[in-house]
Protein backbone atom coordinates (compact mmCIF):
# COMPACT_ATOMS: atom_id res chain seq x y z
CA UNK A 1 0.00 0.00 0.00
CA UNK A 2 2.90 2.37 0.75
CA UNK A 3 3.94 2.48 -2.93
CA UNK A 4 0.43 3.55 -3.94
CA UNK A 5 0.34 6.26 -1.28
CA UNK A 6 3.74 7.58 -2.35
CA UNK A 7 2.73 7.60 -6.01
CA UNK A 8 -0.56 9.34 -5.18
CA UNK A 9 1.15 12.02 -3.08
CA UNK A 10 3.64 12.75 -5.85
CA UNK A 11 1.42 12.49 -8.93
CA UNK A 12 -2.13 13.08 -7.67
CA UNK A 13 -3.48 9.70 -8.72
CA UNK A 14 -2.85 5.96 -8.45
CA UNK A 15 -4.23 2.80 -10.05
CA UNK A 16 -5.18 -0.43 -8.26
CA UNK A 17 -5.47 -3.17 -10.94
CA UNK A 18 -8.32 -5.70 -10.85
CA UNK A 19 -10.03 -4.11 -7.86
CA UNK A 20 -13.67 -4.90 -8.73
CA UNK A 21 -14.08 -8.54 -9.70
CA UNK A 22 -17.81 -8.47 -10.54
CA UNK A 23 -17.60 -5.70 -13.16
CA UNK A 24 -19.12 -7.95 -15.85
CA UNK A 25 -22.19 -8.58 -13.71
CA UNK A 26 -22.71 -4.85 -13.14
CA UNK A 27 -22.23 -4.09 -16.84
CA UNK A 28 -24.73 -6.80 -17.78
CA UNK A 29 -27.35 -5.32 -15.44
CA UNK A 30 -26.67 -1.84 -16.83
CA UNK A 31 -27.31 -3.12 -20.37
CA UNK A 32 -30.53 -4.84 -19.30
CA UNK A 33 -31.77 -1.64 -17.67
CA UNK A 34 -30.94 0.44 -20.73
CA UNK A 35 -32.52 -2.01 -23.15
CA UNK A 36 -35.60 -2.50 -20.97
CA UNK A 37 -36.26 1.23 -20.87
CA UNK A 38 -36.18 1.76 -24.65
CA UNK A 39 -37.28 -1.58 -26.12
CA UNK A 40 -39.92 -4.18 -25.35
CA UNK A 41 -37.92 -7.09 -26.70
CA UNK A 42 -34.87 -8.01 -24.62
CA UNK A 43 -31.71 -9.40 -26.21
CA UNK A 44 -28.17 -10.21 -25.17
CA UNK A 45 -26.82 -7.22 -27.09
CA UNK A 46 -23.76 -5.45 -25.70
CA UNK A 47 -23.69 -1.77 -24.74
CA UNK A 48 -22.67 -0.44 -28.16
CA UNK A 49 -25.30 -2.46 -30.03
CA UNK A 50 -28.02 -1.18 -27.69
CA UNK A 51 -26.85 2.42 -28.09
CA UNK A 52 -26.73 2.06 -31.89
CA UNK A 53 -30.35 0.87 -31.89
CA UNK A 54 -31.33 3.85 -29.73
CA UNK A 55 -29.57 6.30 -32.05
CA UNK A 56 -31.52 5.12 -35.10
CA UNK A 57 -34.66 6.95 -33.94
CA UNK A 58 -34.28 10.72 -33.79
CA UNK A 59 -36.83 11.11 -31.01
CA UNK A 60 -34.78 8.75 -28.86
CA UNK A 61 -31.76 11.07 -28.77
CA UNK A 62 -33.37 13.72 -26.52
CA UNK A 63 -34.98 11.01 -24.41
CA UNK A 64 -31.62 9.31 -24.00
CA UNK A 65 -29.89 12.51 -22.83
CA UNK A 66 -32.58 13.12 -20.20
CA UNK A 67 -32.61 9.45 -19.22
CA UNK A 68 -28.83 9.46 -18.85
CA UNK A 69 -28.67 12.55 -16.62
CA UNK A 70 -31.70 11.84 -14.47
CA UNK A 71 -32.10 8.08 -14.23
CA UNK A 72 -29.35 6.02 -15.84
CA UNK A 73 -26.47 7.56 -13.91
CA UNK A 74 -28.07 6.87 -10.54
CA UNK A 75 -28.99 3.21 -10.66
CA UNK A 76 -29.28 1.77 -7.17
CA UNK A 77 -26.79 -1.03 -7.75
CA UNK A 78 -23.76 1.26 -7.81
CA UNK A 79 -24.62 2.93 -4.49
CA UNK A 80 -23.66 -0.16 -2.52
CA UNK A 81 -20.18 -0.15 -4.06
CA UNK A 82 -19.50 3.28 -2.60
CA UNK A 83 -19.52 1.65 0.86
CA UNK A 84 -17.11 -1.12 -0.09
CA UNK A 85 -14.98 -1.78 3.01
CA UNK A 86 -11.78 -2.25 1.04
CA UNK A 87 -12.37 0.97 -0.88
CA UNK A 88 -12.99 2.93 2.33
CA UNK A 89 -9.82 1.47 3.81
CA UNK A 90 -7.82 2.59 0.77
CA UNK A 91 -9.09 6.17 0.88
CA UNK A 92 -8.31 6.32 4.60
CA UNK A 93 -4.70 5.46 3.71
CA UNK A 94 -4.85 8.45 1.34
CA UNK A 95 -5.63 10.66 4.34
CA UNK A 96 -9.45 10.83 4.21
CA UNK A 97 -9.93 10.67 7.99
CA UNK A 98 -13.71 11.08 8.24
CA UNK A 99 -15.19 10.32 4.82
CA UNK A 100 -18.46 11.70 3.52
CA UNK A 101 -20.13 11.39 0.13
CA UNK A 102 -19.31 14.56 -1.79
CA UNK A 103 -21.81 13.71 -4.55
CA UNK A 104 -24.05 10.89 -5.70
CA UNK A 105 -22.20 7.93 -7.18
CA UNK A 106 -22.56 8.04 -10.95
CA UNK A 107 -22.40 5.80 -13.98
CA UNK A 108 -20.68 7.73 -16.77
CA UNK A 109 -20.46 7.04 -20.50
CA UNK A 110 -17.73 8.34 -22.80
CA UNK A 111 -16.56 7.79 -26.35
CA UNK A 112 -18.06 5.69 -29.10
CA UNK A 113 -21.77 5.76 -29.87
CA UNK A 114 -22.63 6.84 -26.31
CA UNK A 115 -20.29 9.79 -26.43
CA UNK A 116 -21.68 10.88 -29.80
CA UNK A 117 -25.22 10.77 -28.41
CA UNK A 118 -24.31 12.81 -25.32
CA UNK A 119 -21.85 15.29 -26.92
CA UNK A 120 -20.51 17.89 -24.44
CA UNK A 121 -22.45 16.33 -21.56
CA UNK A 122 -19.75 13.70 -21.24
CA UNK A 123 -16.78 14.92 -23.29
CA UNK A 124 -14.99 16.79 -20.51
CA UNK A 125 -12.55 19.62 -21.33
CA UNK A 126 -9.48 20.32 -19.17
CA UNK A 127 -10.75 20.81 -15.62
CA UNK A 128 -10.44 20.03 -11.89
CA UNK A 129 -13.26 18.26 -10.09
CA UNK A 130 -12.91 20.49 -7.02
CA UNK A 131 -14.78 23.26 -8.82
CA UNK A 132 -17.94 21.17 -8.88
CA UNK A 133 -17.43 19.45 -5.53
CA UNK A 134 -16.14 22.42 -3.45
CA UNK A 135 -15.38 19.89 -0.75
CA UNK A 136 -12.36 19.32 1.50
CA UNK A 137 -8.89 20.12 0.19
CA UNK A 138 -8.00 16.43 0.19
CA UNK A 139 -11.25 15.28 -1.47
CA UNK A 140 -10.81 12.64 -4.12
CA UNK A 141 -12.51 10.78 -6.94
CA UNK A 142 -12.66 6.99 -7.33
CA UNK A 143 -13.10 5.85 -10.91
CA UNK A 144 -13.91 2.19 -11.69
CA UNK A 145 -14.27 1.36 -15.41
CA UNK A 146 -16.63 -1.45 -16.39
CA UNK A 147 -14.89 -1.62 -19.78
CA UNK A 148 -11.30 -1.19 -20.92
CA UNK A 149 -9.97 2.36 -20.96
CA UNK A 150 -7.22 3.84 -23.12
CA UNK A 151 -6.78 0.69 -25.21
CA UNK A 152 -8.75 -1.57 -27.57
CA UNK A 153 -10.46 1.50 -29.06
CA UNK A 154 -11.80 2.82 -25.75
CA UNK A 155 -11.51 6.43 -24.60
CA UNK A 156 -9.69 7.38 -21.42
CA UNK A 157 -8.60 10.42 -19.41
CA UNK A 158 -5.49 12.54 -19.80
CA UNK A 159 -3.76 13.62 -16.58
CA UNK A 160 -1.22 16.31 -15.73
CA UNK A 161 0.83 14.50 -13.10
CA UNK A 162 1.49 16.47 -9.92
CA UNK A 163 -0.85 19.33 -10.86
CA UNK A 164 -2.90 18.75 -7.69
CA UNK A 165 -0.09 20.35 -5.66
CA UNK A 166 -0.76 23.84 -7.05
CA UNK A 167 -4.33 24.20 -5.80
CA UNK A 168 -7.00 25.65 -8.08
CA UNK A 169 -6.03 26.76 -11.56
CA UNK A 170 -7.50 29.78 -13.34
CA UNK A 171 -10.70 28.88 -15.18
CA UNK A 172 -13.26 30.18 -17.64
CA UNK A 173 -16.95 29.37 -17.64
CA UNK A 174 -18.36 26.59 -19.77
CA UNK A 175 -21.76 24.96 -20.15
CA UNK A 176 -20.85 21.91 -18.08
CA UNK A 177 -17.40 22.60 -16.67
CA UNK A 178 -15.17 25.36 -15.38
CA UNK A 179 -12.51 24.86 -18.00
CA UNK A 180 -8.77 25.39 -17.82
CA UNK A 181 -6.85 26.61 -20.84
CA UNK A 182 -3.86 24.40 -21.60
CA UNK A 183 -1.56 27.43 -21.81
CA UNK A 184 -2.31 28.08 -18.12
CA UNK A 185 -0.92 24.69 -17.07
CA UNK A 186 2.66 24.71 -15.87
CA UNK A 187 5.09 23.02 -18.22
CA UNK A 188 6.61 21.23 -15.25
CA UNK A 189 3.62 18.87 -15.13
CA UNK A 190 3.96 15.73 -17.23
CA UNK A 191 0.91 14.83 -19.34
CA UNK A 192 -0.04 11.13 -19.45
CA UNK A 193 -2.99 9.12 -20.76
CA UNK A 194 -3.84 6.14 -18.59
CA UNK A 195 -4.95 2.73 -19.82
CA UNK A 196 -6.07 -0.53 -18.30
CA UNK A 197 -8.79 -3.11 -17.82
CA UNK A 198 -12.36 -3.37 -16.52
CA UNK A 199 -12.50 -3.47 -12.73
CA UNK A 200 -9.38 -1.37 -12.14
CA UNK A 201 -9.64 1.30 -9.47
CA UNK A 202 -8.26 4.72 -10.37
CA UNK A 203 -8.15 7.27 -7.54
CA UNK A 204 -7.24 10.89 -8.14
CA UNK A 205 -7.24 14.12 -6.19
CA UNK A 206 -10.13 16.51 -6.88
CA UNK A 207 -7.41 19.10 -7.58
CA UNK A 208 -5.72 17.03 -10.29
CA UNK A 209 -5.98 18.65 -13.73
CA UNK A 210 -7.37 16.20 -16.27
CA UNK A 211 -9.58 15.84 -19.35
CA UNK A 212 -11.48 13.28 -21.41
CA UNK A 213 -9.50 11.75 -24.25
CA UNK A 214 -12.38 10.97 -26.57
CA UNK A 215 -12.46 8.19 -29.16
CA UNK A 216 -15.67 8.93 -31.03
CA UNK A 217 -15.11 6.12 -33.53
CA UNK A 218 -14.24 3.52 -30.93
CA UNK A 219 -16.18 1.61 -28.29
CA UNK A 220 -18.34 3.19 -25.61
CA UNK A 221 -16.55 3.36 -22.25
CA UNK A 222 -18.58 3.17 -19.05
CA UNK A 223 -17.33 3.83 -15.52
CA UNK A 224 -18.59 4.03 -11.94
CA UNK A 225 -17.47 7.23 -10.24
CA UNK A 226 -17.44 7.92 -6.50
CA UNK A 227 -16.48 11.22 -4.85
CA UNK A 228 -15.45 11.50 -1.21
CA UNK A 229 -14.64 14.45 1.03
CA UNK A 230 -13.16 14.63 4.53
CA UNK A 231 -15.26 16.03 7.37
CA UNK A 232 -12.11 16.68 9.42
CA UNK A 233 -10.90 19.41 7.01
CA UNK A 234 -11.38 22.90 8.59
CA UNK A 235 -11.97 24.44 5.16
CA UNK A 236 -15.53 23.04 5.36
CA UNK A 237 -16.30 25.10 8.46
CA UNK A 238 -14.73 28.21 6.95
CA UNK A 239 -16.96 27.75 3.90
CA UNK A 240 -20.07 27.24 6.08
CA UNK A 241 -20.31 23.55 5.14
CA UNK A 242 -21.28 24.46 1.58
CA UNK A 243 -22.22 21.67 -0.82
CA UNK A 244 -21.90 22.78 -4.44
CA UNK A 245 -22.78 20.73 -7.51
CA UNK A 246 -24.31 23.70 -9.30
CA UNK A 247 -21.94 22.01 -11.62
CA UNK A 248 -18.59 23.57 -12.41
CA UNK A 249 -19.40 27.25 -11.94
CA UNK A 250 -16.12 29.17 -11.77
CA UNK A 251 -15.38 30.63 -8.36
CA UNK A 252 -15.56 34.18 -9.67
CA UNK A 253 -19.34 33.81 -10.08
CA UNK A 254 -21.80 34.92 -7.41
CA UNK A 255 -22.91 31.32 -6.85
CA UNK A 256 -19.57 30.70 -5.17
CA UNK A 257 -19.30 34.08 -3.44
CA UNK A 258 -19.88 32.53 -0.02
CA UNK A 259 -16.57 30.67 -0.20
CA UNK A 260 -14.14 32.22 2.28
CA UNK A 261 -11.30 29.89 1.41
CA UNK A 262 -10.28 27.94 -1.67
CA UNK A 263 -7.43 25.43 -2.08
CA UNK A 264 -4.39 27.48 -3.01
CA UNK A 265 -2.10 24.54 -2.48
CA UNK A 266 -2.41 21.02 -1.18
CA UNK A 267 -1.68 20.52 2.51
CA UNK A 268 1.76 19.01 3.14
CA UNK A 269 0.22 15.98 4.82
CA UNK A 270 -1.56 14.89 1.61
Amino acid sequence: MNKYVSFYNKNGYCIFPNFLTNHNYILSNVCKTLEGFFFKKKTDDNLDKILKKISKKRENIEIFSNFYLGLFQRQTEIYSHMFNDELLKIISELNIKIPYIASDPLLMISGGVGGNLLKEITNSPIHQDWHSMQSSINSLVCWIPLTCYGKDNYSTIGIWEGSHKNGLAKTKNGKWFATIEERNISKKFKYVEINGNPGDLIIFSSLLIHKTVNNEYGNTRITCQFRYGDLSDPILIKNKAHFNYNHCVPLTKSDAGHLKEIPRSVLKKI
Side-chain angles (χ1 to χ4, degrees), residues 125-127 170-174 177-181 248 250:
I126 303 171
H127 68 286
K170 183 179 178 181
T171 63
K172 62 178 182 178
N173 202 3
F177 295 90
T179 64
I180 300 168
E181 294 185 8
C248 291

Side-chain angles (χ1 to χ4, degrees), residues 12-51:
Y13 75 101
C14 57
I15 301 174
F16 297 82
N18 305 313
F19 175 80
L20 191 65
T21 56
N22 65 339
H23 54 84
N24 279 330
Y25 176 77
I26 299 171
L27 181 58
S28 176
N29 285 346
V30 166
C31 290
K32 288 177 183 176
T33 300
L34 185 59
E35 192 171 42
F37 187 85
F38 283 93
F39 308 107
K40 292 181 180 179
K41 185 179 178 181
K42 293 186 177 181
T43 67
D44 291 324
D45 287 344
N46 64 26
L47 180 63
D48 277 301
K49 286 184 178 180
I50 295 169
L51 292 171

